[in-house]
Structures are given as C-alpha cells and as structure tokens.
Amino acid sequence: MVEDSDVGEIVKVSGPLVVARNLPGPRMYDLVRVGDSRLMGEIIELRGDNVSVQVYEETGGLGPGDPVFPTGGALSVELGPGLIESIYDGVQRPLSAIREEYGNYIERGVDVPGLSRTREWEFKPSVEEGAEVRQGDILGTIQETAVAEHRVMVPRGVSGRVLEIRGGVHKVTDVVAVIGSDDKSVEVTLLQKWPVRNARPVKVKLAPTVPLITGQRVIDTFFPVAKGGTACVPGPFGSGKTVIQHQIAKWADADIILFIGCGERGNEMTEVLLEFPELIDPYSGEPLMKRTVLIANTSNMPVAAREASVYTGITIAEYYRDMGYSVALQADSTSRWAEALREISGRLEEMPGEEGFPAYLGTRLASFYERAGLVECECSGERRGSITVVGAVSPPGGDLSEPVTQATLRVVKVFWGLEDKLAFRRHFPAINWLVSYSLYLDEVEKEWARMVSPEFAKLRTDAMRLLQEESELQEIVRLIGIEALSPRERLAMESAKSVREDFLQQNAYDVTDSFSSLKKQFLLLRCVMAFEYAGSAAIEKGVEIRDVVASPVREEIAQAKFIPEDELDRIEELEKKVRDTMEEFSSRLEVKEALDLF
Ligand code: ADP
Ligand code: MG
C-alpha cells in the first residue's frame, strides 16, 4: 500500500492504460512515473478523483496499490544540437544509446535523455555582449553535422540584454549566454525543453507557394505539394506508400527531414533503420542521415508511444523550422497512429464514433496537420521557415470511405491516391492520375514560370487533358472497338500512353530514374507532348495514323527518362527530332501528292 501523500496509487490496469487515484495536483498531459520501476506515462483523462494514465511501456506486472509519481511537467522533448542523425522511439528515447547501454531491446523504465549529456559542441556566437535580444533571436551557431548548421535561439519568453555570451566548446547543459537586466537574468543553455502537445508559436502563417521538389514526376508536375503544405497518400497494402515516403525523405529539397515510422510493420521499420543510415544525399554527397531525424516505433513497442510519436516528431520539426529551415516530415502510417488512439479511447470507455474511432479523431488529425505551414518565425528580424507534412494512410481493404482517410482528406491540400490495380500492372508510383489532386497547383504553376519555363503549365494542362480523354476513349473502345475512333482520337490514345509510360512511371530503384530535377521533368514532358502536338499536325495534313504511331522516334522518347541530369541537352535535341520526324511525314506526303498530280 502507498502511504506517502506525494504519490498516487494504481486502482486498475488495462493494457497500456492505468487508472490511479490520490495523485496530488494532477493536470491533463502531465508526465507521471508509474510503479516501482517508474515507467513513463502521461495523464490523458481526469475523472473525479481518478486519473487515467497512458503508459509508454509494457504494463505487465503492475497492479492495484502500486505507486504513481507526479513529475509536475508535461510530456516534453529535448531540443538542441544532436537531434539530427538520431534515431528515437516515440517518446524521444534514443534507440542507439539504449542499445549500447542495455542490449538489443529497451528495458522498462530506462531513462536515457534525448540529447547526449557528454557530447561536446563548438558554439560560435553571432551576437555580442550588450546586444538587445528577444525570443527566437539567434545567439550563435553550431555545426551540428556536415550539412546542418544548428542555430541557437533565445528561448521562448526570454528577452533583454546579452549580459554574457560564451563561445567555445560546450556540452548541451552548459550555460552559453546570460540574458536579461542587471537585477533579473536568465541563463541560456544549448538544451531547451518543449511540451510536445503544444505547437511552438510563430509570428504569422503564410500561404505556401514554392513547390517542394521531390524528384518524383507524378508528384512535382501533376500533383505538387508546396513547402509548408500538407499531403496524404492513402493506399492499400503493397501499393507503394512506404516507397513514396522514402523517396521524399531521400530526394526532397528540404533542409531537414523528419521520418516517423508509426509501426506500420516491424520489418518495414527495420528496413528504414538499416537502409537510411547507408543512403547518400544526392545534393551534398554526405550521408543522408546528416539532415535526418528518425522516429521509429517498431510493432513491439507499446501503442501509447505510437500515439505520442507524431507529436514528438512535429515538435522537433517546429524547432528546426524556427531556425529558418524548410523541414519535410513524413509519417508512415497515420492509420497506425489512429488505431493507437482508438485502442486507448476504448480502454477509457469513451463513446465510440465511426468504426470504433473516438469522435475527436477528426480534430486530433486536424490539429496535427495544422502544425505544418510556411511561417514568419518568432524573432526580432525577419526569418521564414516551413514544415511540409506528408502522411501515409492505410485504409483497410483500400476503402477510402473509412474514417481516417475521410478525416485526413478534410484537412490536407494534396491527395495522392494509390491504386492496387496500377501496382499490379507495375505502374509505379501507383498514383491514380484521375482522382488525385493538389490545391497548390495554381500557385506552384506560377513558380514554375520563374523556376523553369512559362511553357510548363500549359504542357501539364494538355497532358492531363489527354489522360482524361484516354479514359473516356477507353470506354468507347471497350464498347465498340478501336475502329470507332477517328485518327485524331487514335493518336490521343497513343500520346496518353506515352504520358503514362514515358513520364508518369518512375522506377525508384533505377539510379537515374529515381530522381528527376524540375528542369528534366519539363524537358521530358515537352518531348512527350511534342509527339502529340506534331503528330496531330501531321494527321491534320493527311498523314496516316499508322505511320505516326510506328515511328521509331517513339522508342527514343521511351528511353529519354534514363538520360542523366548532366546530359539534359540530349532531351532537348530529341524533342526537336520528334518535331522534325513528324514534319518529314507531312512533306513526304506533299511530295507524293504533287507527284500524283502528274
Ligand atoms: P505499402 O507501403 O503501400 O504497403 P510499399 O511502399 O512497401 O507498399 O511498396 C510495395 C512494393 O511496390 C515495393 O516493395 C516495390 O517493389 C514496389 N514499388 C512501389 N513503388 C515503386 C516505385 N516507385 N518504383 C519501383 N517499385 C515500386
Ligand atoms: Mg508501407
């Protein structure tokens, strides 16, 4: 029995949920320690004298009468240098450090801090003593990794004069600056804490307009996401959600990548853990981990940790955004997160909503995605940063009408709908071009004109129209047969096929094809569409459709995606060749007609 009045007492244990009473001064989302082994837990419900605690570790062995210790603080993450290259679990325990200390699996109650207390960092001040600073201002920098410069910011709520600034080598807990006035001052360390369930404040949110270049043609050209935007990628098992998320993590032109594996399947997470540290960043030539933070919930980790993982991830993302960086966050898959929410809600005996999910599923999802955005950072000068969030959704049986998909679609601005039919046909990425959409398209198209060419938007519109026309024509062909089509329509079918196979299909495992710059995407699409434009003109002049279709230049178009980035002029030449070939058909026809006159 517990006698100490400073601690609460367990009355009931139900899976990851513990009900306790007599806990002094309990508040929602306070962190507590449960049982004698002091397992980490978080208060998620207050009901009369009882509090419900979700426990981030296996609760086996706990029972009524065991103690519950308050900590007085909320579930928080540690922010500071050393986050990048880390691999954490859902409550920011570093998996590698744990492994070193305790062997291959996490012991319960293990307390390893998120940031190393012994590692040393070279801090270069960028302000001088006497300077006036306020929250968010940059005090100095640390080369966190070969590619990431850590900007040490004045913590929230702190402002005043820099009374002291200490450059040099420091551990995260060392004081690097003293800020305030002579009678009241604050010591600033490299380590700051932030409660994960609260969004970090920003000056103002702006509408995202600049595309996040992912190097994936169907995404960047057809359904782009803007930096600071939100996207979801729902699809049945095996349709390519994880590959898309990995491709974005590898190739996106973001400064910092946050990858959250929400326990999709144990082995998928293992893949991430094994594969990611090996990958090389194509932009910097450095290992990709040098700009990446991984959060991994393997399937044997408790559900509550999975529920927390998305908040841990987005809080770290916000911290780097506050430094003025563009951050891309992938969550694979938010369905596993929602299931964790459902399980806990069930244990709380809350009134279930659709398919057993709690009624607040929609609000929770919305408040997660709302933490994405392009912002003016909180500081005295001007600084912008962004978080782009891409969430995978795994609807059971691929049924998009299920609650998690529906609630997600209500908040995100981009929808990449994966289809198993396409995946079976090995059309990858299996994004269905007829149902997918991007609400950033108009803004992004304006950027294309600046970044690549004013011609780009028209090419995209025409290509999309061809794909739509194809699906209508396919219906006619199915009912009446190909003979029912006019030569112009036959050409449209062939051109649409080329858009699909030569442009949209992209092999993530081919060294060259895996990534296309925006310039290459433009040139490639222009080449594909040259066949359509020049082919139509030729047919108009009376050239036989079968001559156009059988032209060997089409094989060259099909191979164009394998032309490397440093030889893009070859795609430009090919485009000219396509037009020349079609014009030659017409002129040969003219010669023939002239001869026939004799
Ligand atoms: P999900 O996460 O939806 O269950 P995955 O992302 O694991 O599906 O993809 C399943 C398989 O589909 C991959 O192992 C791979 O063989 C294939 N695949 C998906 N996308 C691509 C792509 N862009 N290029 C080549 N193969 C792909
Ligand atoms: Mg997957």
Side-chain angles (χ1 to χ4, degrees):
M1 282 314 278
V2 182
E3 273 151 32
D4 194 338
S5 63
D6 290 345
V7 296
E9 173 190 4
I10 294 181
V11 286
K12 187 176 121 187
V13 179
S14 161
L17 195 79
V18 162
V19 180
R21 65 172 176 218
N22 296 337
L23 195 71
R27 283 176 310 181
M28 273 299 270
Y29 302 126
D30 263 4
L31 194 68
V32 295
R33 294 287 179 170
V34 180
D36 290 316
S37 45
R38 298 189 176 236
L39 308 184
M40 228 173 142
E42 184 188 16
I43 297 176
I44 55 166
E45 192 191 51
L46 303 171
R47 195 186 281 178
D49 286 342
N50 287 351
V51 301
S52 298
V53 174
Q54 62 175 347
V55 182
Y56 293 118
E57 300 175 71
E58 287 309 324
T59 52
L62 289 178
D66 284 347
V68 176
F69 305 90
T71 67
L75 177 67
S76 299
V77 285
E78 294 191 348
L79 302 171
L83 288 165
I84 296 179
E85 286 188 279
S86 289
I87 303 176
Y88 291 120
D89 76 352
V91 286
Q92 209 203 5
R93 292 183 300 183
L95 293 182
S96 47
I98 292 171
R99 207 173 297 137
E100 276 156 30
E101 244 174 271
Y102 299 93
N104 244 329
Y105 63 101
I106 305 177
E107 295 262 347
R108 296 193 308 169
V110 162
D111 226 351
V112 184
L115 293 177
S116 163
R117 295 296 189 270
T118 50
R119 194 164 163 190
E120 294 185 320
W121 302 96
E122 169 91 33
F123 172 62
K124 289 205 182 86
S126 56
V127 294
E128 289 180 2
E129 274 171 26
E132 284 293 330
V133 292
R134 53 165 299 207
Q135 62 177 2
D137 285 356
I138 290 165
L139 293 170
T141 57
I142 285 169
Q143 200 63 44
E144 185 171 356
T145 69
V147 300
E149 183 191 76
H150 198 98
R151 298 171 182 161
V152 178
M153 296 173 287
V154 176
R156 304 288 134 170
V158 176
S159 66
R161 204 151 31 86
V162 177
L163 303 176
E164 246 182 85
I165 182 98
R166 303 178 190 160
V169 174
H170 291 288
K171 302 193 176 79
V172 288
T173 47
D174 292 349
V175 173
V176 293
V178 182
I179 294 170
S181 55
D182 293 332
D183 39 307
K184 187 169 165 276
S185 63
V186 178
E187 292 187 328
V188 177
T189 64
L190 295 176
L191 172 74
Q192 302 176 15
K193 290 196 178 187
W194 192 264
V196 296
R197 306 222 181 242
N198 299 350
R200 285 170 64 89
V202 299
K203 239 189 235 164
V204 57
K205 259 193 163 187
L206 308 162
T209 58
V210 176
L212 179 80
I213 308 300
T214 67
Q216 311 307 297
R217 297 186 290 267
V218 60
I219 293 177
D220 297 351
T221 298
F222 278 78
F223 310 107
V225 60
K227 278 184 180 152
T230 49
C232 74
V233 51
F237 173 73
S239 58
K241 297 179 293 295
T242 301
V243 172
I244 285 186
Q245 298 272 45
H246 286 194
Q247 286 295 89
I248 295 175
K250 282 181 210 171
W251 298 110
D253 66 338
D255 299 312
I256 305 291
I257 301 288
L258 250 131
F259 193 96
I260 310 173
C262 305
E264 178 72 343
R265 262 179 299 145
N267 55 342
E268 278 195 4
M269 212 52 241
T270 318
E271 238 169 70
V272 173
L273 296 183
L274 294 177
E275 191 195 351
F276 264 62
E278 304 274 302
L279 295 172
I280 298 294
D281 182 350
Y283 297 102
S284 67
E286 293 286 337
L288 217 89
M289 283 303 287
K290 302 242 176 258
R291 64 161 190 175
T292 306
V293 184
L294 281 182
I295 295 181
N297 289 272
T298 55
S299 50
N300 59 350
M301 289 183 193
V303 286
R306 201 188 301 161
E307 198 276 325
S309 63
V310 301
Y311 299 101
T312 298
I314 197 118
T315 306
I316 296 173
E318 285 173 341
Y319 178 61
Y320 283 96
R321 179 193 59 191
D322 288 348
M323 294 179 201
Y325 290 126
S326 64
V327 183
L329 179 146
Q330 292 85 241
D332 185 20
S333 137
T334 56
S335 295
R336 303 288 161 260
W337 168 79
E339 283 158 18
L341 202 66
R342 172 168 68 186
E343 177 169 346
I344 293 155
S345 164
R347 306 255 185 199
L348 285 170
E349 290 166 15
E350 291 172 339
M351 177 90 85
E354 239 183 301
E355 290 185 26
F357 287 104
Y360 48 78
L361 170 70
T363 12
R364 284 287 171 87
L365 265 170
S367 62
F368 166 65
Y369 281 104
E370 271 160 18
R371 290 173 74 170
L374 170 70
V375 304
E376 288 281 0
C377 304
E378 188 56 65
C379 64
S380 38
E382 270 191 27
R383 194 162 76 228
R384 281 187 183 185
S386 66
I387 300 176
T388 312
V389 173
V390 177
V393 187
S394 344
D399 169 21
L400 297 186
S401 68
E402 61 89 39
V404 183
T405 312
Q406 284 303 308
T408 305
L409 286 175
R410 274 195 288 275
V411 292
V412 302
K413 298 257 186 331
V414 179
F415 166 56
W416 301 318
L418 295 180
E419 206 177 64
D420 43 9
K421 256 193 276 169
L422 288 172
F424 289 140
R425 277 173 23 206
R426 312 238 15 109
H427 175 111
F428 288 118
I431 294 178
N432 179 326
W433 51 89
L434 296 176
V435 301
S436 299
Y437 59 78
S438 163
L439 301 183
Y440 301 112
L441 187 63
D442 288 349
E443 291 303 320
V444 164
E445 278 183 346
K446 287 179 209 154
E447 290 293 321
W448 286 348
R450 194 177 55 79
M451 297 167 79
V452 184
S453 161
E455 230 184 299
F456 203 172
K458 180 184 182 312
L459 287 174
R460 191 256 174 214
T461 309
D462 290 350
M464 194 64 217
R465 199 174 295 138
L466 270 179
L467 292 170
Q468 276 153 354
E469 190 181 353
E470 178 192 41
S471 88
E472 288 155 23
L473 293 174
Q474 271 165 346
E475 193 62 10
I476 296 176
V477 170
R478 205 174 54 81
L479 294 171
I480 319 180
I482 190 111
E483 308 76 45
L485 301 186
S486 68
R488 166 71 202 77
E489 288 167 337
R490 294 264 316 269
L491 180 72
M493 294 279 283
E494 293 292 333
S495 303
K497 182 166 174 265
S498 176
V499 172
R500 282 190 283 110
E501 294 181 356
D502 308 335
F503 187 82
L504 293 182
Q505 282 189 17
Q506 189 169 359
N507 186 351
Y509 304 109
D510 180 276
V511 241
T512 313
D513 200 24
S514 187
F515 170 86
S516 288
S517 66
L518 203 56
K519 176 92 189 288
K520 178 172 175 182
Q521 299 189 31
F522 164 69
L523 293 175
L524 205 53
L525 189 61
R526 196 169 68 166
C527 203
V528 166
M529 292 305 288
F531 173 74
E532 160 68 13
Y533 297 145
S536 298
I539 286 173
E540 200 94 325
K541 288 190 182 142
V543 176
E544 293 284 339
I545 176 74
R546 60 165 185 273
D547 290 338
V548 172
V549 168
S551 167
V553 79
R554 298 191 67 201
E555 184 46 34
E556 289 186 59
I557 299 176
Q559 293 305 319
K561 60 172 133 177
F562 301 109
I563 293 176
E565 291 288 336
D566 55 2
E567 294 173 32
L568 292 185
D569 46 346
R570 282 175 53 202
I571 308 183
E572 285 187 77
E573 283 156 23
L574 179 60
E575 190 240 355
K576 192 165 168 300
K577 184 171 173 187
V578 173
R579 281 188 284 119
D580 289 349
T581 310
M582 295 301 143
E583 272 160 30
E584 218 179 281
F585 281 134
S586 309
S587 41
R588 247 188 278 152
L589 189 72
E590 277 164 25
V591 173
K592 186 169 168 291
E593 277 167 359
L595 288 176
D596 284 352
L597 282 180
F598 284 98

PDB file of all heavy atoms in Angstrom, residues 148 360 365 491 560:
ATOM      1  N   ALA A 148      24.258  20.393 -41.656  1.00  0.00           N
ATOM      2  CA  ALA A 148      23.248  21.131 -40.891  1.00  0.00           C
ATOM      3  C   ALA A 148      23.887  22.060 -39.873  1.00  0.00           C
ATOM      4  O   ALA A 148      24.620  21.627 -38.980  1.00  0.00           O
ATOM      5  CB  ALA A 148      22.303  20.158 -40.196  1.00  0.00           C
ATOM      6  N   TYR A 360     -13.337  12.413 -31.498  1.00  0.00           N
ATOM      7  CA  TYR A 360     -12.399  13.517 -31.704  1.00  0.00           C
ATOM      8  C   TYR A 360     -11.277  13.168 -32.682  1.00  0.00           C
ATOM      9  O   TYR A 360     -10.316  13.914 -32.816  1.00  0.00           O
ATOM     10  CB  TYR A 360     -11.813  13.987 -30.365  1.00  0.00           C
ATOM     11  CG  TYR A 360     -11.305  12.887 -29.475  1.00  0.00           C
ATOM     12  CD1 TYR A 360     -10.064  12.292 -29.716  1.00  0.00           C
ATOM     13  CD2 TYR A 360     -12.053  12.428 -28.394  1.00  0.00           C
ATOM     14  CE1 TYR A 360      -9.581  11.274 -28.908  1.00  0.00           C
ATOM     15  CE2 TYR A 360     -11.583  11.403 -27.573  1.00  0.00           C
ATOM     16  CZ  TYR A 360     -10.343  10.828 -27.838  1.00  0.00           C
ATOM     17  OH  TYR A 360      -9.882   9.815 -27.046  1.00  0.00           O
ATOM     18  N   LEU A 365      -6.524  14.796 -35.781  1.00  0.00           N
ATOM     19  CA  LEU A 365      -5.797  14.772 -37.050  1.00  0.00           C
ATOM     20  C   LEU A 365      -5.571  16.188 -37.559  1.00  0.00           C
ATOM     21  O   LEU A 365      -4.483  16.557 -37.984  1.00  0.00           O
ATOM     22  CB  LEU A 365      -6.594  13.978 -38.089  1.00  0.00           C
ATOM     23  CG  LEU A 365      -6.236  12.516 -38.238  1.00  0.00           C
ATOM     24  CD1 LEU A 365      -7.260  11.814 -39.112  1.00  0.00           C
ATOM     25  CD2 LEU A 365      -4.852  12.353 -38.841  1.00  0.00           C
ATOM     26  N   LEU A 491      -4.570   8.845 -82.073  1.00  0.00           N
ATOM     27  CA  LEU A 491      -3.329   9.499 -81.664  1.00  0.00           C
ATOM     28  C   LEU A 491      -3.393   9.890 -80.181  1.00  0.00           C
ATOM     29  O   LEU A 491      -2.425   9.703 -79.442  1.00  0.00           O
ATOM     30  CB  LEU A 491      -3.041  10.734 -82.527  1.00  0.00           C
ATOM     31  CG  LEU A 491      -1.744  11.457 -82.133  1.00  0.00           C
ATOM     32  CD1 LEU A 491      -0.512  10.657 -82.541  1.00  0.00           C
ATOM     33  CD2 LEU A 491      -1.677  12.856 -82.734  1.00  0.00           C
ATOM     34  N   ALA A 560      14.070   8.317 -72.901  1.00  0.00           N
ATOM     35  CA  ALA A 560      14.584   9.638 -72.515  1.00  0.00           C
ATOM     36  C   ALA A 560      14.699   9.817 -71.001  1.00  0.00           C
ATOM     37  O   ALA A 560      15.566  10.532 -70.510  1.00  0.00           O
ATOM     38  CB  ALA A 560      13.702  10.734 -73.113  1.00  0.00           C
TER      39      ALA A 560
END
